[in-house]
Amino acid sequence: QVQLVESGGGLVQAGDSLRLSCAASGRTFRRYAMGWLRQAPGKERELVAAITSGGSTSHADSVKGRFTISRDNAKNTVYLQMNSLKPEDTAVYYCAADTYGGTGYDYWGQGTQVTVSS
């Protein structure tokens, strides 16, 4: 069983920055692929960024150059640095873990709200 707890969301203005954190339980965090996903009202859930156990990253086109995913295995934590925020980034952001490697995300956090005002 893996528990994921997100933090760092809030209400900001367009152009501001936020850093989301996701703390994971368990001793094998370094083996997990991790992802940040978001869901805005009335829209489908979207994969924003992902990072493999080896540290390779990928980012959705909509956030490339503005958001950066990273991980600190010593702290069992994955981060999402969000810069130059836009109103369309408003959503609930979820942290997710793929603990079996390539089979999809099998553990999810409770989500943290990010609201960007214009």
Side-chain angles (χ1 to χ4, degrees):
Q1 189 79 6
V2 176
Q3 291 185 328
L4 303 173
V5 179
E6 301 103 333
S7 61
L11 171 62
V12 297
Q13 293 186 333
D16 286 350
S17 298
L18 277 176
R19 187 176 79 157
L20 304 183
S21 300
C22 172
S25 64
R27 298 181 179 181
T28 56
F29 171 79
R30 66 186 184 281
R31 299 179 185 174
Y32 306 156
M34 301 295 296
W36 283 100
L37 300 92
R38 67 185 181 187
Q39 188 163 23
K43 294 188 177 181
E44 294 187 355
R45 189 164 53 198
E46 171 190 23
L47 178 63
V48 175
I51 187 166
T52 68
S53 59
S56 297
T57 63
S58 60
H59 298 80
D61 288 343
S62 58
V63 306
K64 274 182 183 175
R66 300 188 299 122
F67 290 12
T68 303
I69 189 171
S70 63
R71 66 190 298 160
D72 185 338
N73 290 336
K75 295 182 178 180
N76 276 23
T77 301
V78 61
Y79 303 98
L80 185 67
Q81 178 66 44
M82 306 187 293
N83 299 328
S84 302
L85 282 160
K86 303 175 181 180
E88 51 263 44
D89 295 319
T90 295
V92 177
Y93 283 72
Y94 298 92
C95 170
D98 172 4
T99 64
Y100 288 100
T103 60
Y105 296 114
D106 48 338
Y107 290 96
W108 295 79
Q110 81 287 352
T112 185
Q113 177 71 46
V114 172
T115 303
V116 184
S117 63
S118 58

CSV table of all heavy atoms in Angstrom, one decimal, residues 5 9 14-15 18 23-24 37-38 50 57 69 71 84 86 90 94 98 107-108 111 115-117:
chain,number,residue,atom,x,y,z
A,5,VAL,N,0.5,12.1,-0.6
A,5,VAL,CA,-0.1,13.3,-0.1
A,5,VAL,C,0.5,14.5,-0.8
A,5,VAL,O,1.7,14.8,-0.7
A,5,VAL,CB,0.2,13.4,1.4
A,5,VAL,CG1,-0.4,14.7,2.0
A,5,VAL,CG2,-0.4,12.2,2.2
A,9,GLY,N,-0.8,23.6,-3.4
A,9,GLY,CA,-1.7,24.3,-4.2
A,9,GLY,C,-2.2,25.6,-3.6
A,9,GLY,O,-1.9,25.9,-2.5
A,14,ALA,N,-2.1,35.2,-12.6
A,14,ALA,CA,-1.5,34.8,-13.9
A,14,ALA,C,0.0,35.3,-13.9
A,14,ALA,O,0.2,36.5,-13.5
A,14,ALA,CB,-2.2,35.3,-15.1
A,15,GLY,N,0.9,34.4,-14.3
A,15,GLY,CA,2.3,34.8,-14.3
A,15,GLY,C,3.1,34.4,-13.0
A,15,GLY,O,4.3,34.4,-13.0
A,18,LEU,N,4.1,28.4,-8.6
A,18,LEU,CA,3.8,27.5,-7.5
A,18,LEU,C,4.7,26.2,-7.6
A,18,LEU,O,5.0,25.8,-8.7
A,18,LEU,CB,2.3,27.1,-7.5
A,18,LEU,CG,1.3,28.0,-6.9
A,18,LEU,CD1,-0.1,27.4,-7.2
A,18,LEU,CD2,1.5,28.3,-5.5
A,23,ALA,N,4.4,13.7,-1.2
A,23,ALA,CA,5.1,12.9,-0.3
A,23,ALA,C,4.6,11.4,-0.4
A,23,ALA,O,3.3,11.3,-0.2
A,23,ALA,CB,5.1,13.4,1.1
A,24,ALA,N,5.4,10.5,-0.6
A,24,ALA,CA,5.0,9.1,-0.7
A,24,ALA,C,5.5,8.3,0.5
A,24,ALA,O,6.5,8.5,1.0
A,24,ALA,CB,5.5,8.5,-2.0
A,37,LEU,N,-1.0,14.7,-12.7
A,37,LEU,CA,-2.1,14.8,-13.6
A,37,LEU,C,-3.0,15.9,-13.1
A,37,LEU,O,-3.0,16.3,-11.9
A,37,LEU,CB,-2.9,13.5,-13.7
A,37,LEU,CG,-2.1,12.3,-14.3
A,37,LEU,CD1,-1.5,11.5,-13.1
A,37,LEU,CD2,-2.9,11.4,-15.1
A,38,ARG,N,-3.9,16.4,-14.0
A,38,ARG,CA,-4.8,17.5,-13.5
A,38,ARG,C,-6.2,17.3,-14.2
A,38,ARG,O,-6.3,16.7,-15.3
A,38,ARG,CB,-4.3,18.9,-13.9
A,38,ARG,CG,-4.2,19.2,-15.4
A,38,ARG,CD,-3.5,20.6,-15.6
A,38,ARG,NE,-3.4,20.9,-17.0
A,38,ARG,CZ,-2.8,22.0,-17.4
A,38,ARG,NH1,-2.1,22.8,-16.6
A,38,ARG,NH2,-2.7,22.2,-18.7
A,50,ALA,N,5.6,13.5,-16.2
A,50,ALA,CA,5.9,12.2,-15.7
A,50,ALA,C,7.4,12.1,-15.5
A,50,ALA,O,8.2,12.7,-16.2
A,50,ALA,CB,5.4,11.1,-16.6
A,57,THR,N,12.3,12.5,-17.8
A,57,THR,CA,11.0,13.2,-17.6
A,57,THR,C,10.3,13.5,-19.0
A,57,THR,O,11.0,13.4,-20.0
A,57,THR,CB,11.3,14.6,-17.0
A,57,THR,OG1,12.2,15.4,-17.8
A,57,THR,CG2,12.0,14.4,-15.6
A,69,ILE,N,8.9,18.7,-13.7
A,69,ILE,CA,8.8,17.6,-12.7
A,69,ILE,C,10.2,17.2,-12.2
A,69,ILE,O,11.1,17.1,-13.0
A,69,ILE,CB,8.0,16.4,-13.3
A,69,ILE,CG1,7.6,15.4,-12.2
A,69,ILE,CG2,8.7,15.8,-14.4
A,69,ILE,CD1,6.7,14.3,-12.6
A,71,ARG,N,12.2,14.7,-8.8
A,71,ARG,CA,12.0,13.9,-7.6
A,71,ARG,C,13.2,13.9,-6.7
A,71,ARG,O,14.4,14.1,-7.2
A,71,ARG,CB,11.7,12.4,-8.1
A,71,ARG,CG,12.8,11.7,-8.8
A,71,ARG,CD,12.4,10.4,-9.4
A,71,ARG,NE,11.8,9.5,-8.4
A,71,ARG,CZ,11.0,8.5,-8.7
A,71,ARG,NH1,10.6,8.3,-10.0
A,71,ARG,NH2,10.6,7.7,-7.8
A,84,SER,N,5.1,30.8,-14.7
A,84,SER,CA,4.3,31.5,-15.7
A,84,SER,C,2.9,30.9,-15.8
A,84,SER,O,2.4,30.6,-16.9
A,84,SER,CB,5.0,31.4,-17.1
A,84,SER,OG,6.3,32.0,-17.0
A,86,LYS,N,-1.0,30.2,-16.0
A,86,LYS,CA,-2.1,30.8,-16.8
A,86,LYS,C,-3.4,30.4,-16.2
A,86,LYS,O,-3.5,29.4,-15.6
A,86,LYS,CB,-2.0,30.3,-18.3
A,86,LYS,CG,-0.7,30.6,-18.9
A,86,LYS,CD,-0.6,29.9,-20.3
A,86,LYS,CE,0.7,30.1,-21.0
A,86,LYS,NZ,0.7,29.5,-22.4
A,90,THR,N,-5.8,26.3,-14.2
A,90,THR,CA,-6.6,26.0,-13.1
A,90,THR,C,-7.2,24.6,-13.2
A,90,THR,O,-7.8,24.2,-14.2
A,90,THR,CB,-7.8,27.0,-13.1
A,90,THR,OG1,-7.2,28.3,-12.9
A,90,THR,CG2,-8.8,26.7,-12.0
A,94,TYR,N,-3.3,16.1,-9.3
A,94,TYR,CA,-3.1,14.8,-8.6
A,94,TYR,C,-1.7,14.2,-8.9
A,94,TYR,O,-1.2,14.3,-10.0
A,94,TYR,CB,-4.1,13.8,-9.1
A,94,TYR,CG,-5.6,14.1,-8.9
A,94,TYR,CD1,-6.3,14.8,-9.9
A,94,TYR,CD2,-6.2,13.8,-7.7
A,94,TYR,CE1,-7.6,15.2,-9.7
A,94,TYR,CE2,-7.5,14.1,-7.5
A,94,TYR,CZ,-8.2,14.8,-8.5
A,94,TYR,OH,-9.5,15.2,-8.3
A,98,ASP,N,3.2,4.7,-10.4
A,98,ASP,CA,3.1,3.4,-11.1
A,98,ASP,C,4.1,2.5,-10.4
A,98,ASP,O,5.3,2.6,-10.6
A,98,ASP,CB,3.5,3.7,-12.6
A,98,ASP,CG,3.7,2.4,-13.4
A,98,ASP,OD1,3.4,1.3,-12.8
A,98,ASP,OD2,4.1,2.5,-14.5
A,107,TYR,N,-1.7,4.0,-7.8
A,107,TYR,CA,-2.0,4.8,-6.5
A,107,TYR,C,-2.1,6.3,-6.9
A,107,TYR,O,-1.3,6.8,-7.7
A,107,TYR,CB,-0.9,4.5,-5.5
A,107,TYR,CG,-0.9,3.1,-5.0
A,107,TYR,CD1,0.0,2.2,-5.5
A,107,TYR,CD2,-1.7,2.8,-3.9
A,107,TYR,CE1,0.0,0.9,-5.0
A,107,TYR,CE2,-1.8,1.5,-3.4
A,107,TYR,CZ,-0.9,0.5,-4.0
A,107,TYR,OH,-0.9,-0.7,-3.5
A,108,TRP,N,-3.0,6.9,-6.1
A,108,TRP,CA,-3.3,8.3,-6.4
A,108,TRP,C,-3.4,9.1,-5.1
A,108,TRP,O,-3.8,8.6,-4.1
A,108,TRP,CB,-4.7,8.4,-7.1
A,108,TRP,CG,-4.7,7.8,-8.4
A,108,TRP,CD1,-4.8,6.5,-8.8
A,108,TRP,CD2,-4.6,8.5,-9.7
A,108,TRP,NE1,-4.7,6.3,-10.1
A,108,TRP,CE2,-4.6,7.6,-10.7
A,108,TRP,CE3,-4.4,9.9,-10.0
A,108,TRP,CZ2,-4.5,7.9,-12.1
A,108,TRP,CZ3,-4.4,10.2,-11.4
A,108,TRP,CH2,-4.4,9.2,-12.4
A,111,GLY,N,-5.4,15.0,-4.3
A,111,GLY,CA,-5.5,16.1,-5.2
A,111,GLY,C,-5.3,17.4,-4.4
A,111,GLY,O,-5.6,17.5,-3.2
A,115,THR,N,-5.7,27.4,-8.5
A,115,THR,CA,-6.5,28.3,-9.2
A,115,THR,C,-5.7,29.5,-9.6
A,115,THR,O,-5.0,30.1,-8.8
A,115,THR,CB,-7.7,28.8,-8.3
A,115,THR,OG1,-8.4,27.6,-7.8
A,115,THR,CG2,-8.6,29.7,-9.0
A,116,VAL,N,-5.8,29.8,-10.9
A,116,VAL,CA,-5.0,31.0,-11.4
A,116,VAL,C,-6.0,32.0,-11.9
A,116,VAL,O,-6.8,31.8,-12.8
A,116,VAL,CB,-4.1,30.5,-12.6
A,116,VAL,CG1,-3.2,31.7,-13.1
A,116,VAL,CG2,-3.2,29.3,-12.2
A,117,SER,N,-5.9,33.2,-11.3
A,117,SER,CA,-6.8,34.3,-11.7
A,117,SER,C,-6.1,35.1,-12.8
A,117,SER,O,-4.9,35.3,-12.8
A,117,SER,CB,-7.2,35.1,-10.5
A,117,SER,OG,-6.0,35.7,-10.0
